[in-house]
C-alpha cells in the first residue's frame, strides 16, 4: 500500500471524525438545556430508558458519549442499573443514525455545504446561526472524509483477494471490527471505513456484516474505560454494555445467513444495506433483551457484586467524566449536589432547634461535622464548575451554572450561621444561663418561620418553582424581618423589667440576628431560583 494512500486514509478518517465532533458539539449547543431535562426525565421503565438513550445519542451523535454519561450517572447514584441498561440499549440504536446518514449519496454536495456552513459560522449574527453553521461544516466534513477514504482505497481494486478471507471466515471479520473500533474508540469511524471499502467493491456483504457486528463489541471499550476508578455500580453498567453487545453478536453470528437475506431485501445498494444491517442488529437485539431486562440485571449484579456500602460524605454527583462527555449533564450534577447541600443545611437548622429547645448537647458535634461537610461540598462544586466553564458552554447554560455557584455560597452561609447559633448554645450551657419560657416560645416561633423560608427557597431552586420563590420573597422575608424587630423590642422590655438575665439577653439578641441573616440567604436563593427558571423558559 503506497505511503500516500495510507496518509490519505488517515486524513479521511480524521476529517470524518472531526466532522462528527463538530456536528455533535453544534447539536448539543442547539439543544442547550433540553438535553439536561431529557436526561433528568428518566424513570425506572426500561422502555423509557431505551427511548431517552436513543434520543440523547441522536442529539450528541455519539453512543460513546451516552454510555460514558450513563456509567457516570450510575456511579453518582443518579440512575439505577436497570435504568442504565435501557439507556445503553437506546444508545446502540441511536448511534445507527450516523451510518444511515453516511449511506446517502451526499458526497458531491460536501464542499458547498461546508462553504454555506462557514458563512453562517463566521458571519452569523445570532448564536443559533453560528451553531447551525458549525453543524453544516461538520456535516460536510463527514462526507468529505468518506470521499477521501473511498478514493484512497481505489488502488486496491485489483487486490480484492486480500479481503475474500473475511467473507469465508465471519469470526475473523468480527475480530477485525472489534479491534479496529477498540483502537480508534469510535464505532462511526469503523462503520465509515467499512462502507467506504464496500462502496469500492473491496468488501462483499458477506465480509462486511461481520465487521459491523464486531464494531458493536469494540465500542463497549469506552464504557469499560469510563468505569475504571469508579464504584461497583458503574462497573456493573459497563459490564452490562459489554454482555449486551457480546451476546447479541453471538446470536446474530449463529443466524448470519438469515440475517444477510433480510438485509438484502432492504435495499439494492451495498452502502444502504450495511447501514440497515447496523440498524437492524441493534433494534432486534434490543427487542430480544427488553423483556428480560430484570433477569439480565440480576445476572450482571452476580457477575460484578456490589461491595461498597459505606456512607459517602464528600461530593456524590460530581463525576469528572461528565464534564467532557456532556457539560449540560455536568451542570445537572451540580444541581443535584446543591440539593444535597440543602439537606445538610436543613439538618443543621433542626439540630440547632433541638439543642435549644430540648437541651440536647449531642447536636453540637453533629452541627459542627455538618458544617465541615458543607464547606467541603462548597469547594468541590466551585472547582467542578470552573472545569465545566473551561469546556465552553452556551450562554444560557453558563448563566444557569453561574446562578448555581452563587447559590452554594448562600447555602454555605446558612451553615455558618447555624454554627454561630450552636456556639451560642455552648456558651449558654457553659455559663448556666437560662431563657424564660416566653423567650423560648419566641425563639421557636421565629425559628419555624426561618426554617420554612429556607425549605421553600431550596425547593424553589430544585424545582425551578417561581411561586415558592415569591412566597419567600414577598411573604416570609417580610415576616422574618418583622418578627426580628418585634422580638428584639419585646426582649429589651423584659430586660428592663428584670425578667431575664442580662447575659442570656445578649445571647438571645445574637440568636435573633443570626436567624434573620439566615432568612436573608433564603431570600437570595429565591431570587436565584427565579433567574434560573426565567433562563430555562427563554
Amino acid at each position: 500500500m503506497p505511503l500516500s494512500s495510507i496518509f490519505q486514509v488517515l486524513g479521511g478518517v480524521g476529517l470524518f471524525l472531526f466532522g462528527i465532533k463538530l456536528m455533535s458539539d453544534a447539536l448539543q449547543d442547539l439543544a442547550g438545556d433540553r438535553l439536561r431535562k431529557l436526561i433528568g426525565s428518566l424513570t425506572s421503565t426500561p422502555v423509557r430508558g431505551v427511548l431517552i438513550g436513543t434520543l440523547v445519542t441522536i442529539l450528541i451523535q455519539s453512543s460513546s458519549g451516552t454510555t460514558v454519561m450513563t456509567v457516570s450517572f450510575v456511579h453518582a447514584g443518579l440512575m439505577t442499573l436497570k435504568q442504565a441498561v435501557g439507556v445503553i440499549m437506546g444508545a446502540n440504536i441511536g448511534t445507527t443514525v450516523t451510518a444511515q446518514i453516511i449511506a446517502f449519496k451526499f458526497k458531491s454536495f460536501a464542499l458547498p455545504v461546508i462553504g454555506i456552513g462557514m458563512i453562517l459560522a463566521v458571519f452569523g449574527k445570532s448564536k443559533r446561526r453560528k451553531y447551525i453553521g458549525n453543524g453544516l461544516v461538520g456535516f460536510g466534513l463527514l462526507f468529505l472524509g468518506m470521499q477521501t477514504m473511498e478514493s484512497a482505497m481505489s488502488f486496491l481494486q485489483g487486490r480484492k483477494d486480500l479481503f475474500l478471507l473475511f467473507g469465508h471466515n465471519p469470526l475473523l471479520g468480527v475480530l477485525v471490527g472489534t479491534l479496529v473500533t477498540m483502537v480508534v474508540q469510535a464505532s462511526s469511524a469503523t462503520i465509515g471505513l467499512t462502507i467506504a471499502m464496500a462502496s469500492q467493491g473491496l468488501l462483499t456483504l458477506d465480509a462486511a456484516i461481520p465487521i459491523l457486528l464486531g464494531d458493536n463489541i469494540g465500542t463497549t471499550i469506552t464504557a469499560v474505560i469510563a468505569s475504571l476508578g469508579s464504584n461497583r455500580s458503574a462497573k456493573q453498567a459497563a459490564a452490562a454494555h459489554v454482555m449486551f453487545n457480546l451476546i447479541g453478536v453471538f446470536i446474530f453470528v449463529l443466524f448470519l445467513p438469515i440475517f444477510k437475506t433480510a438485509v438484502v431485501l432492504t435495499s439494492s445498494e451495498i452502502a444502504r444495506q450495511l447501514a440497515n444491517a447496523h440498524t437492524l442488529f441493534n433494534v432486534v437485539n434490543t427487542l430480544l433483551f427488553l423483556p428480560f431486562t430484570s433477569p439480565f440485571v440480576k445476572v450482571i449484579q452476580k457477575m460484578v457484586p456490589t461491595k461498597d456500602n459505606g456512607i459517602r460524605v464528600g461530593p456524590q454527583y460530581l463525576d469528572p467524566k461528565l464534564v467532557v462527555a456532556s457539560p449540560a449533564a455536568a451542570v445537572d450534577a451540580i444541581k443535584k449536589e446543591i440539593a444535597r447541600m440543602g439537606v445538610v443545611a436543613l439538618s443543621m437548622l433542626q439540630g440547632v432547634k433541638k439543642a435549644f429547645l430540648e437541651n440536647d448537647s449531642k447536636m453540637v458535634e453533629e452541627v459542627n461535622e455538618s458544617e465541615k461537610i458543607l464547606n467541603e461540598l462548597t469547594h468541590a462544586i466551585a472547582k467542578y464548575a470552573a472545569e465545566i466553564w473551561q469546556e465552553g458552554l452556551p450562554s444560557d447554560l453558563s448563566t444557569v451554572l453561574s446562578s448555581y455557584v452563587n447559590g452554594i455560597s448562600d447555602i454555605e452561609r446558612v451553615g455558618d450561621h447555624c454554627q454561630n447559633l450552636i456556639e451560642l448554645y455552648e456558651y449558654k450551657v457553659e455559663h448556666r444561663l437560662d431563657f424564660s419560657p416566653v423567650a423560648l416560645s419566641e425563639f421557636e416561633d421565629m425559628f419555624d418561620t426561618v426554617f420554612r423560608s429556607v425549605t421553600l427557597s431550596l425547593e424553589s431552586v430544585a424545582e425551578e418553582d417561581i411561586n415558592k420563590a415569591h412566597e419567600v420573597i414577598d411573604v416570609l422575608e417580610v415576616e422574618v424581618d418583622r418578627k426580628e424587630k418585634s422580638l428584639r423590642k419585646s426582649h429589651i422590655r423584659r430586660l428592663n423589667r428584670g425578667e431575664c438575665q442580662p447575659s442570656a439577653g445578649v445571647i438571645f439578641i445574637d440568636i435573633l440576628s443570626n436567624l434573620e441573616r439566615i432568612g436573608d440567604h433564603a431570600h437570595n436563593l429565591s431570587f436565584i431560583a427565579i433567574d434560573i427558571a426565567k433562563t430555562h423558559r427563554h
Side-chain angles (χ1 to χ4, degrees):
M1 187 175 184
L3 192 61
S4 60
S5 295
I6 294 175
F7 288 150
Q8 199 172 347
V9 171
L10 290 174
V13 172
L15 283 171
F16 183 86
L17 290 175
F18 186 60
I20 288 177
K21 177 170 172 38
L22 270 179
M23 280 179 62
S24 172
D25 291 345
L27 285 166
Q28 287 194 64
D29 288 336
L30 284 168
D33 198 54
R34 295 184 191 91
L35 181 65
R36 180 188 68 80
K37 289 181 178 177
L38 193 62
I39 295 165
S41 65
L42 282 166
T43 67
S44 58
T45 308
V47 174
R48 184 74 176 272
V50 170
L51 291 174
I52 289 173
T54 303
L55 287 172
V56 170
T57 305
I58 290 172
L59 274 176
I60 69 173
Q61 281 291 295
S62 171
S63 62
S64 298
T66 305
T67 52
V68 167
M69 277 191 275
T70 304
V71 169
S72 298
F73 286 161
V74 174
H75 170 76
L78 290 168
M79 190 186 292
T80 65
L81 183 59
K82 189 173 182 179
Q83 287 174 324
V85 169
V87 176
I88 287 167
M89 291 176 183
N92 281 13
I93 295 173
T95 194
T96 65
V97 171
T98 308
Q100 293 293 345
I101 291 171
I102 61 180
F104 285 105
K105 303 296 181 183
F106 285 150
K107 290 186 282 291
S108 56
F109 299 105
L111 292 176
V113 169
I114 292 172
I116 294 168
M118 280 304 298
I119 290 170
L120 286 172
V122 175
F123 300 107
K125 292 183 179 179
S126 66
K127 288 189 177 181
R128 182 178 175 80
R129 288 182 183 179
K130 290 180 183 293
Y131 295 153
I132 292 171
N134 288 335
L136 287 173
V137 171
F139 189 75
L141 287 177
L142 186 150
F143 285 101
L144 188 62
M146 281 293 297
Q147 193 174 20
T148 305
M149 285 189 280
E150 286 182 15
S151 60
M153 294 170 184
S154 59
F155 81 99
L156 289 169
Q157 289 284 356
R159 297 301 310 275
K160 293 180 184 179
D161 56 302
L162 292 172
F163 304 98
L164 289 175
L165 193 60
F166 293 132
H168 297 311
N169 191 342
L171 291 179
L172 181 61
V174 171
L175 181 62
V176 168
T178 301
L179 292 176
V180 171
T181 307
M182 280 184 172
V183 170
V184 299
Q185 285 192 45
S187 59
S188 297
T190 311
I191 293 164
L193 273 169
T194 305
I195 290 177
M197 293 173 74
S199 298
Q200 288 294 314
L202 300 174
L203 287 175
T204 63
L205 191 62
D206 287 315
I209 287 177
I211 295 174
L212 287 185
L213 293 177
D215 160 77
N216 284 279
I217 298 175
T219 194
T220 63
I221 189 67
T222 312
V224 172
I225 292 171
S227 71
L228 297 177
S230 298
N231 60 21
R232 304 289 284 189
S233 296
K235 288 180 172 63
Q236 287 174 347
H241 192 204
V242 174
M243 293 305 297
F244 172 66
N245 284 15
L246 197 61
I247 294 170
V249 169
F250 176 75
I251 293 170
F252 273 73
V253 168
L254 289 178
F255 298 97
L256 204 53
I258 298 172
F259 182 47
K260 181 207 164 185
T261 303
V263 169
V264 170
L265 294 173
T266 63
S267 177
S268 58
E269 295 180 352
I270 192 164
R272 180 62 60 195
Q273 286 173 345
L274 290 176
N276 292 343
H278 190 41
T279 302
L280 276 172
F281 165 75
N282 285 293
V283 170
V284 173
N285 196 31
T286 296
L287 291 175
L288 288 174
F289 267 84
L290 205 50
F292 306 102
T293 303
S294 295
F296 179 62
V297 166
K298 289 178 182 176
V299 169
I300 296 298
Q301 288 171 335
K302 286 183 179 179
M303 287 175 58
V304 187
T306 304
K307 292 180 181 177
D308 50 342
N309 295 317
I311 298 171
R312 299 174 65 180
V313 176
Q316 185 174 331
Y317 304 120
L318 309 184
D319 193 316
K321 300 181 186 74
L322 279 181
V323 175
V324 178
S326 172
V331 172
D332 194 49
I334 283 183
K335 182 181 180 180
K336 297 286 195 303
E337 206 67 67
I338 287 174
R340 281 189 69 219
M341 284 187 71
V343 170
V344 175
L346 289 174
S347 73
M348 292 176 74
L349 276 168
Q350 289 171 328
V352 167
K353 182 180 181 181
K354 196 172 182 181
F356 277 103
L357 297 182
E358 300 177 23
N359 199 27
D360 190 342
S361 59
K362 289 184 290 185
M363 292 299 104
V364 173
E365 186 178 353
E366 285 191 21
V367 169
N368 287 329
E369 286 301 313
S370 294
E371 167 62 8
K372 291 177 185 176
I373 293 171
L374 273 189
N375 287 337
E376 183 183 347
L377 290 175
T378 300
H379 295 310
I381 293 172
K383 181 182 176 184
Y384 192 73
E387 291 171 2
I388 298 172
W389 267 311
Q390 288 173 5
E391 289 297 313
L393 289 173
S395 59
D396 57 340
L397 205 57
S398 181
T399 301
V400 170
L401 180 56
S402 179
S403 296
Y404 285 147
V405 171
N406 290 334
I408 62 172
S409 64
D410 279 298
I411 299 173
E412 194 266 341
R413 290 295 293 145
V414 170
D416 288 343
H417 287 297
C418 286
Q419 192 169 40
N420 291 344
L421 287 166
I422 210 71
E423 285 173 359
L424 290 172
Y425 166 76
E426 285 186 283
Y427 182 88
K428 172 179 169 292
V429 171
E430 184 180 345
H431 291 82
R432 298 179 181 178
L433 303 174
D434 293 314
F435 289 155
S436 67
V438 175
L440 286 174
S441 177
E442 289 177 345
F443 164 80
E444 186 172 11
D445 181 42
M446 174 82 169
F447 179 90
D448 288 345
T449 305
V450 169
F451 187 83
R452 176 164 172 74
S453 184
V454 175
T455 302
L456 280 180
S457 66
L458 289 168
E459 288 176 359
S460 70
V461 173
E463 301 165 14
E464 296 173 20
D465 191 322
I466 291 179
N467 292 330
K468 288 183 178 180
H470 276 299
E471 185 176 345
V472 174
I473 295 166
D474 302 331
V475 180
L476 292 173
E477 170 65 9
V478 176
E479 186 70 8
V480 168
D481 288 346
R482 185 190 65 77
K483 284 185 178 180
E484 193 268 341
K485 290 175 184 176
S486 172
L487 297 182
R488 185 185 290 267
K489 287 179 181 177
S490 65
H491 186 68
I492 290 171
R493 284 196 295 269
R494 284 198 300 275
L495 280 173
N496 291 335
R497 292 196 297 266
E499 296 173 6
C500 292
Q501 296 171 280
S503 298
V506 172
I507 292 175
F508 191 79
I509 295 295
D510 282 344
I511 289 171
L512 293 179
S513 177
N514 275 280
L515 287 175
E516 191 271 334
R517 293 299 304 277
I518 290 172
D520 288 343
H521 291 295
H523 185 251
N524 294 344
L525 281 169
S526 298
F527 274 113
I528 287 169
I530 291 171
D531 290 340
I532 293 169
K534 286 181 177 177
T535 303
H536 284 161
R537 288 179 184 181
H538 292 318

